[in-house]
Amino acid sequence: EPEVTQTPSHQVTQMGQEVILRCVPISNHLYFYWYRQILGQKVEFLVSFYNNEISEKSEIFDDQFSVERPDGSNFTLKIRSTKLEDSAMYFCASTMMGGREETQYFGPGTRLLVL
Amino acid sequence: KQEVTQIPAALSVPEGENLVLNCSFTDSAIYNLQWFRQDPGKGLTSLLLIQSSQREQTSGRLNASLDKSSGRSTLYIAASQPGDSATYLCAVRASGTYKYIFGTGTRLKVLA
């Protein structure tokens, strides 16, 4: 069964450093998402992406964050200058969108720790 | 602003019991609602998706209902098994948006 993959599974970085989290969505999906989950808290929406542009973003997704689909298969989340509070599990998700195919498929996540 | 609440926060039941997990949301103008399962340290697996025009969906031992007007959804698990132990999350997509708002989840433990 096709699945969403994410790399790396774990990343440790120093505050102020840039990180890039990578995702490979399911190949025929059209909509892509990033969510985050701080330990013990709710899963929070960050951004949705369709047709090579951001379709919606949350208040969390400020100028420090950016997303890109550089080559038609990868979908990346970049954090330009990490802060301690960026430590969380980051999930990528993809969906076909539209009726029965709107099920969101999540990747296994990248655990980011900012020191 | 849409808020999603799940009760109970945690539940422990003996194997074989039927159980109900509850999800409530404050804004009834939703596009759809999904129930997910999350195993510790893992990603989310979609269990059931209910469109706003539907009242229930079934998959195997799982049945989810939706009462949009009262802002409620329930997930019914029949004949629970130890393998059902996980955190169950509901998420709501509001009309006119792409984003899902998640509840805090119900942590289920099924005892053998």
Side-chain angles (χ1 to χ4, degrees), chain B residues 26-80:
Chain B
T26 54
D27 186 347
S28 61
I30 66 167
Y31 187 78
N32 65 36
L33 181 147
Q34 288 195 58
W35 281 93
F36 292 88
R37 169 186 173 136
Q38 185 176 27
D39 292 286
K42 303 278 180 67
L44 283 64
T45 302
S46 182
L47 299 172
L48 289 163
L49 181 151
I50 311 179
Q51 300 289 358
S52 63
S53 57
Q54 297 174 318
R55 293 202 55 97
E56 66 179 281
Q57 281 284 352
T58 298
S59 175
R61 293 183 295 108
L62 306 179
N63 175 279
S65 67
L66 175 65
D67 183 343
K68 213 171 64 158
S69 60
S70 67
R72 289 182 191 170
S73 177
T74 60
L75 179 68
Y76 175 82
I77 303 177
S80 57

Side-chain angles (χ1 to χ4, degrees), chain A residues 33 37 42 56 97 99 102, chain B residues 31-32 38 51 93 98:
Chain A
Y33 299 79
Q37 187 176 32
K42 291 186 181 187
E56 191 166 0
M97 198 63 78
E102 202 171 318
Chain B
Y31 187 78
N32 65 36
Q38 185 176 27
Q51 300 289 358
R93 180 181 161 201
Y98 293 95

Side-chain angles (χ1 to χ4, degrees), chain A residues 2-82:
Chain A
E3 58 183 18
V4 177
T5 59
Q6 290 185 243
T7 54
S9 57
H10 293 79
Q11 174 123 23
V12 181
T13 190
Q14 295 292 324
M15 191 169 57
Q17 295 295 304
E18 174 184 285
V19 294
I20 297 177
L21 309 184
R22 292 184 167 80
C23 168
V24 179
I26 294 172
S27 61
N28 62 344
H29 283 188
L30 301 175
Y31 288 78
F32 314 110
Y33 299 79
W34 284 101
Y35 293 86
R36 79 172 185 190
Q37 187 176 32
I38 295 170
L39 189 64
Q41 297 187 23
K42 291 186 181 187
V43 175
E44 299 175 287
F45 168 82
L46 292 178
V47 65
S48 59
F49 191 86
Y50 169 71
N51 202 25
N52 277 324
E53 59 183 29
I54 291 173
S55 48
E56 191 166 0
K57 60 183 181 180
S58 72
E59 314 79 51
I60 303 166
F61 194 88
D62 62 21
D63 292 344
Q64 293 300 311
F65 291 87
S66 62
V67 289
E68 200 176 34
R69 191 157 157 78
D71 57 13
S73 61
N74 290 284
F75 179 50
T76 62
L77 174 69
K78 183 194 289 187
I79 310 174
R80 269 182 260 285
S81 178
T82 50

